[in-house]
Amino acid sequence: MELSHRKVSKKVRFVDASGNALANKTVSVKQTNHSFLFGCGAFEFIPYVLNGDDEHKVLTEYWLDVFNYGTLPFYWGNFEPVEGQPRTEMTMKVAKYLADKNVKVKGHPLCWHTVCADWLMKYDNETILKKQLERIDREVTGFKGVIDMWDVINEVVIMPIFDKYDNAITRICKEKGRVGLIKEVFDKAHECNPDAVLLLNDFNTSINYEILIDGCLNAGVPISAIGIQSHQHQGYWGKEKLEEVLERFSSFGLPIHFTENTLISGDIMPAHIVDLNDWQVDEWPSTPEGEERQAKEVEEMYRTLFAHPLVEAITTWDFRDGAWLNAPSGFIRKDNTAKPSYEMLKKLIRNEWWTDTTVTTDSEGNALIEGFKGDYCLEADGRSCEVKFTDDTAVDITI
Amino acid sequence: MELSHRKVSKKVRFVDASGNALANKTVSVKQTNHSFLFGCGAFEFIPYVLNGDDEHKVLTEYWLDVFNYGTLPFYWGNFEPVEGQPRTEMTMKVAKYLADKNVKVKGHPLCWHTVCADWLMKYDNETILKKQLERIDREVTGFKGVIDMWDVINEVVIMPIFDKYDNAITRICKEKGRVGLIKEVFDKAHECNPDAVLLLNDFNTSINYEILIDGCLNAGVPISAIGIQSHQHQGYWGKEKLEEVLERFSSFGLPIHFTENTLISGDIMPAHIVDLNDWQVDEWPSTPEGEERQAKEVEEMYRTLFAHPLVEAITTWDFRDGAWLNAPSGFIRKDNTAKPSYEMLKKLIRNEWWTDTTVTTDSEGNALIEGFKGDYCLEADGRSCEVKFTDDTAVDITI
């Protein structure tokens, strides 16, 4: 697997505080974070940060040992169940907790027809859109600096034809059209935080989504990255489909984020289920064979995605089993023990794709550092400094 | 069937050349043309206009007895088989012949991956696009005033993934993306003839095409009308599907043209054929039962489309059997006799939806004329005049 796009090969000249070359020294080069976003749903941090219970403490420790990127929920119906009473304070507390732990946070989503606020439905379409844009302003402006990455709008391919139940967002999407609504919500988010990473996100990976993105880009929608969901409750896509999806969506030249990945460690959901939400089961156990399979699939999928130059983020959706659909979809079992998939991913992220080495400088203080892109702590002579390595440009570093 | 959108109810005050009211007169009101475009492939006019043979003379007479709108071929590979030697003169001769007969002409198509010029493939993509735009300039500017309606680009949903054979247009569509290429070719056509009616045309009536149109409109592509193909070699869509397609594509508020309609009067092509061009048969006879069925389907389909306010044109693709795919797809049999479908459509267009009446003016010369939108010849006292009735605004008319 060719991974040069994930690495730097950097000429560094080490000097001391007086500007003298650190000649013939051993420098310890320890990676402290990845540039690549290895993410997971961070929903478990909410009860922990708010209540501090031991059960969730263990969970969040497991989480922080592997991931540097978390998704926090902003479902309108839950975030603001009563109009005018948003759960801003609670969510901000959790987001800041994660940011303090050096975790990048993404808000999910700003606009979606599901888990939408029912109270919106009493308004006419013009008012619904106005409130949608005000909501985006409130969240994107309010969380700026803490959350600078957003799933702006979710599942638009199906949005105007979604007919399981009436909701305010399908109504305005029907009226404005898909690209029209996308443009409105993206323009507002971009206006409120021009530096934010703004994602379009969908589970539909067909030609429909390609054409939608194509239209959006030609209409000037400020999409920063293409979000692709990959909930594989009905079985692993496999390397071939993964590569085919990557090839098709890389044609836009935009970064690609795998935003919602699921690989389960139990029985596979039957193929005839179209809307995954229709599969309601009381028990969906994780099995030993399932856990071995899941670990292998996690490995192949993460390796395949990490090898593709345009992929910048992979988020696994459920951290612990029994979350969405009660599925065995986590890295952690219901009893808070780690599955093989957890150990596998930790090995990849914190060992195989992680740099922890030493270099020795020459007589002029020069050394070549080769390592995975990310943050580093460099140490020599008992002194240290923090640096970020993202490209091959030569630099002077003072320790 | 509600047809008020197809009709005028017009207060007319009749005066003579001196401005005196034509009081208490009988005025003959004879429709001479429809505003609605009842079209058909006009390919048969090419041999007739060029050679004047009797066989095609009969055919074109049948044609002109029913239709007011014809499609002429501009397939690049046939129109300019050798680079720099376009068949402009011949095509202009036929187009002018039709225009003289009061037939509106549409050129089909300006950009398509099929029947494309093979000589384009020796150029790089930048040059191919340049030549495509020059070609549009040459045709749209050159035929302006004779042809002011164009299928600008054909079948874009499939265009970049079309893989039956290499061709220049698929190459540039892959590079520029669907909406990017559509925008280039439409902008050029619009620049060359700002008053032209410019169509996007596709056989794909799925959500793909909806999203493509949505993207184009948001990207500012000057689409005048949505072109929908309806080749029904594999069986009549039926009223329900027709109405469902109309509902979905009417959401854009643009005029809808059924650009390529086929209903056959023989055996139905098997459903497993995906690309209709793959069905190659030596004989595909028209049958008596098939002809009765075709006439019924033509009636239901034309009635359904004529009833929809946004539909402005219906074009049947083959006028005579044995054209595309050797199918029994025409109104006219191979032996040049008319099928029941021809008689049925003629009855609708020239009788049921046709106005031929008289009105009597009151003492001040006023009369109310109710009739189908279109051109009229009005006659009173042995004098006559030509008028166009397209709305209910009251007018004074001098006879």
Side-chain angles (χ1 to χ4, degrees):
Chain A
M1 190 169 51
E2 164 59 7
L3 288 180
S4 62
H5 55 287
R6 299 287 172 211
K7 291 178 165 177
V8 293
S9 178
K10 209 168 176 76
K11 277 191 187 162
V12 179
R13 185 170 162 267
F14 288 98
V15 295
D16 64 18
S18 317
N20 302 314
L22 290 179
N24 308 312
K25 295 277 182 195
T26 296
V27 181
S28 141
V29 177
K30 284 181 186 294
Q31 189 169 1
T32 56
N33 201 359
H34 273 289
S35 286
F36 192 93
L37 298 172
F38 289 105
C40 196
F43 295 32
E44 282 81 2
F45 283 86
I46 302 169
Y48 176 64
V49 171
L50 299 183
N51 311 319
D53 61 299
D54 284 347
E55 182 196 344
H56 286 98
K57 184 171 191 295
V58 173
L59 261 187
T60 60
E61 283 167 357
Y62 271 127
W63 198 104
L64 290 167
D65 276 350
V66 176
F67 300 108
N68 63 349
Y69 171 48
T71 301
L72 281 184
F74 279 79
Y75 305 107
W76 201 349
N78 298 337
F79 188 80
E80 190 178 4
V82 178
E83 185 173 7
Q85 297 178 29
R87 295 181 170 161
T88 310
E89 197 184 329
M90 177 203 92
T91 311
M92 182 65 90
K93 206 170 161 186
V94 181
K96 281 186 170 164
Y97 180 88
L98 284 161
D100 285 348
K101 298 280 183 190
N102 214 16
V103 171
K104 191 170 187 74
V105 181
K106 183 176 71 174
H108 167 89
L110 292 167
C111 181
W112 192 28
H113 52 274
T114 303
V115 203
C116 189
D118 284 344
W119 50 259
L120 279 167
M121 289 198 284
K122 67 174 176 284
Y123 295 112
D124 62 19
N125 285 2
E126 197 186 341
T127 309
I128 291 169
L129 178 60
K130 187 168 160 278
K131 287 184 181 287
Q132 172 66 71
L133 298 180
E134 286 169 356
R135 192 251 157 148
I136 290 172
D137 190 345
R138 182 182 64 198
E139 269 64 282
V140 175
T141 304
F143 282 83
K144 196 168 157 177
V146 182
I147 299 182
D148 297 316
M149 190 179 280
W150 294 95
D151 287 331
V152 179
I153 186 165
N154 207 26
E155 303 178 358
V156 186
V157 170
I158 206 180
M159 189 174 273
I161 53 173
F162 178 83
D163 59 2
K164 289 191 95 168
Y165 43 82
D166 185 20
N167 71 88
I169 301 305
T170 289
R171 288 189 203 163
I172 58 172
C173 192
K174 256 191 189 129
E175 184 171 321
K176 296 206 66 76
R178 293 175 177 86
V179 182
L181 181 58
I182 292 171
K183 194 159 168 48
E184 291 272 3
V185 295
F186 265 83
D187 282 350
K188 176 53 77 177
H190 183 68
E191 174 197 323
C192 296
N193 186 352
D195 298 325
V197 173
L198 303 178
L199 288 108
L200 186 67
N201 191 42
D202 216 300
F203 67 86
N204 187 317
T205 58
S206 77
I207 197 175
N208 285 313
Y209 192 31
E210 287 178 70
I211 297 178
L212 183 65
I213 295 166
D214 187 9
C216 287
L217 295 177
N218 277 281
V221 177
I223 297 173
S224 318
I226 296 167
I228 292 177
Q229 301 179 20
S230 50
H231 294 295
Q232 295 160 82
H233 299 77
Q234 293 172 311
Y236 175 44
W237 286 1
K239 199 168 193 290
E240 200 179 335
K241 173 170 172 178
L242 257 181
E243 286 177 339
E244 182 256 338
V245 167
L246 285 170
E247 196 201 327
R248 287 192 288 113
F249 288 92
S250 63
S251 70
F252 300 106
L254 283 176
I256 294 171
H257 289 208
F258 272 65
T259 52
E260 305 184 22
N261 192 54
T262 301
L263 288 163
I264 65 166
S265 66
D267 289 346
I268 298 302
M269 185 194 293
H272 70 267
I273 302 293
V274 174
D275 185 332
L276 301 183
N277 290 298
D278 292 340
W279 187 245
Q280 296 288 336
V281 288
D282 292 332
E283 286 293 320
W284 193 348
S286 184
T287 64
E289 319 81 65
E291 291 185 359
E292 290 310 315
R293 187 193 63 223
Q294 184 197 37
K296 278 189 197 135
E297 291 168 354
V298 162
E299 179 181 7
E300 184 174 272
M301 184 156 176
Y302 274 73
R303 284 192 189 280
T304 306
L305 295 179
F306 198 58
H308 193 286
L310 283 174
V311 177
E312 292 190 349
I314 313 170
T315 294
T316 286
W317 194 242
D318 291 330
F319 185 59
R320 183 166 67 169
D321 283 359
W324 185 39
L325 304 176
N326 202 17
S329 49
F331 291 116
I332 305 294
R333 301 183 193 97
K334 281 184 175 174
D335 66 2
N336 271 10
T337 54
K339 293 185 197 172
S341 59
Y342 177 86
E343 303 301 343
M344 167 59 69
L345 191 59
K346 187 174 174 181
K347 180 177 81 70
L348 290 176
I349 297 176
R350 296 292 177 132
N351 185 309
E352 187 178 324
W353 298 333
W354 189 257
T355 304
D356 185 347
T357 187
T358 58
V359 292
T360 305
T361 60
D362 65 13
S363 58
E364 293 173 326
N366 295 311
L368 182 72
I369 295 183
E370 297 189 300
F372 286 92
K373 291 177 184 172
D375 300 336
Y376 281 83
C377 178
L378 306 179
E379 213 176 299
D381 282 348
R383 295 188 307 275
S384 69
C385 72
E386 311 286 327
V387 291
K388 189 182 280 293
F389 290 153
T390 56
D391 60 42
D392 292 354
T393 316
V395 286
D396 289 0
I397 290 177
T398 306
I399 296 192
Chain B
M1 189 168 53
E2 164 61 7
L3 288 180
S4 62
H5 55 288
R6 299 288 172 211
K7 292 179 166 176
V8 294
S9 178
K10 206 164 180 77
K11 277 192 188 162
V12 178
R13 186 171 161 266
F14 289 97
V15 294
D16 64 19
S18 319
N20 302 315
L22 290 178
N24 307 312
K25 295 276 182 195
T26 297
V27 180
S28 143
V29 177
K30 283 182 187 295
Q31 189 169 1
T32 56
N33 201 359
H34 273 289
S35 287
F36 192 92
L37 297 173
F38 289 105
C40 197
F43 295 31
E44 283 80 3
F45 283 85
I46 302 170
Y48 176 62
V49 171
L50 299 184
N51 309 319
D53 61 300
D54 283 348
E55 182 196 344
H56 285 99
K57 183 171 192 294
V58 174
L59 261 186
T60 60
E61 283 167 357
Y62 271 127
W63 198 104
L64 291 166
D65 275 352
V66 176
F67 300 110
N68 63 349
Y69 172 48
T71 300
L72 281 184
F74 279 79
Y75 306 107
W76 202 348
N78 298 337
F79 187 81
E80 191 179 3
V82 178
E83 185 173 7
Q85 297 179 25
R87 297 186 168 158
T88 310
E89 197 185 329
M90 177 202 92
T91 311
M92 182 65 90
K93 205 171 162 189
V94 181
K96 280 186 170 166
Y97 180 89
L98 285 162
D100 284 348
K101 298 280 184 190
N102 215 13
V103 171
K104 192 171 186 75
V105 181
K106 183 176 69 174
H108 168 89
L110 291 168
C111 179
W112 192 26
H113 51 274
T114 304
V115 203
C116 190
D118 284 344
W119 50 259
L120 279 168
M121 289 198 284
K122 66 175 175 282
Y123 296 111
D124 63 18
N125 284 2
E126 198 187 338
T127 309
I128 292 169
L129 179 60
K130 187 168 159 278
K131 288 186 181 287
Q132 172 66 71
L133 298 179
E134 286 168 356
R135 192 253 157 147
I136 290 172
D137 191 343
R138 181 183 64 196
E139 269 63 284
V140 175
T141 304
F143 282 83
K144 196 166 157 178
V146 182
I147 299 181
D148 298 315
M149 189 179 280
W150 295 94
D151 288 331
V152 179
I153 186 165
N154 206 27
E155 303 179 358
V156 186
V157 170
I158 206 180
M159 188 174 276
I161 52 174
F162 178 83
D163 59 3
K164 290 191 95 169
Y165 43 81
D166 185 19
N167 72 87
I169 301 306
T170 289
R171 289 189 201 162
I172 59 172
C173 192
K174 255 190 188 129
E175 184 171 321
K176 296 206 66 78
R178 293 175 177 86
V179 182
L181 181 59
I182 293 172
K183 195 159 165 49
E184 290 273 4
V185 295
F186 265 82
D187 283 349
K188 175 54 76 179
H190 183 66
E191 174 197 325
C192 296
N193 186 353
D195 297 326
V197 172
L198 303 178
L199 288 108
L200 187 67
N201 191 43
D202 216 300
F203 68 86
N204 187 316
T205 58
S206 78
I207 198 175
N208 286 313
Y209 191 32
E210 287 178 70
I211 297 178
L212 182 65
I213 295 167
D214 188 8
C216 287
L217 295 178
N218 277 280
V221 177
I223 297 173
S224 318
I226 296 167
I228 293 176
Q229 301 179 18
S230 50
H231 295 295
Q232 295 159 81
H233 298 77
Q234 293 173 310
Y236 174 45
W237 286 1
K239 198 167 195 288
E240 201 177 335
K241 173 168 174 185
L242 257 181
E243 285 176 339
E244 183 256 336
V245 167
L246 285 170
E247 197 200 326
R248 287 193 287 112
F249 288 91
S250 63
S251 71
F252 300 105
L254 283 176
I256 294 171
H257 289 207
F258 272 66
T259 51
E260 305 184 21
N261 192 54
T262 302
L263 288 164
I264 64 165
S265 66
D267 288 347
I268 298 301
M269 185 194 293
H272 71 267
I273 303 292
V274 174
D275 185 331
L276 301 184
N277 290 299
D278 292 340
W279 187 245
Q280 296 288 338
V281 287
D282 292 331
E283 287 293 319
W284 193 346
S286 185
T287 63
E289 318 80 65
E291 292 186 359
E292 288 312 312
R293 187 194 64 222
Q294 184 196 37
K296 278 188 196 137
E297 292 168 354
V298 163
E299 179 181 7
E300 185 174 89
M301 183 154 177
Y302 274 73
R303 283 191 188 282
T304 305
L305 295 180
F306 198 59
H308 194 287
L310 283 175
V311 178
E312 292 190 348
I314 313 169
T315 295
T316 286
W317 195 241
D318 292 330
F319 185 58
R320 183 166 64 169
D321 283 0
W324 185 39
L325 304 175
N326 202 17
S329 50
F331 291 117
I332 305 294
R333 300 183 193 96
K334 280 186 177 173
D335 66 2
N336 272 10
T337 55
K339 293 185 196 173
S341 59
Y342 177 85
E343 303 301 341
M344 167 59 70
L345 190 58
K346 185 174 175 184
K347 180 176 80 74
L348 290 175
I349 296 176
R350 296 292 177 131
N351 185 311
E352 187 178 326
W353 296 335
W354 189 258
T355 304
D356 183 347
T357 187
T358 58
V359 292
T360 305
T361 60
D362 66 13
S363 57
E364 293 173 327
N366 295 311
L368 182 73
I369 295 183
E370 297 189 300
F372 286 92
K373 290 175 183 172
D375 300 335
Y376 282 83
C377 177
L378 307 179
E379 211 176 301
D381 281 347
R383 296 187 307 276
S384 69
C385 71
E386 310 285 326
V387 292
K388 190 182 280 291
F389 289 153
T390 56
D391 61 42
D392 292 355
T393 318
V395 285
D396 288 359
I397 289 177
T398 305
I399 298 192

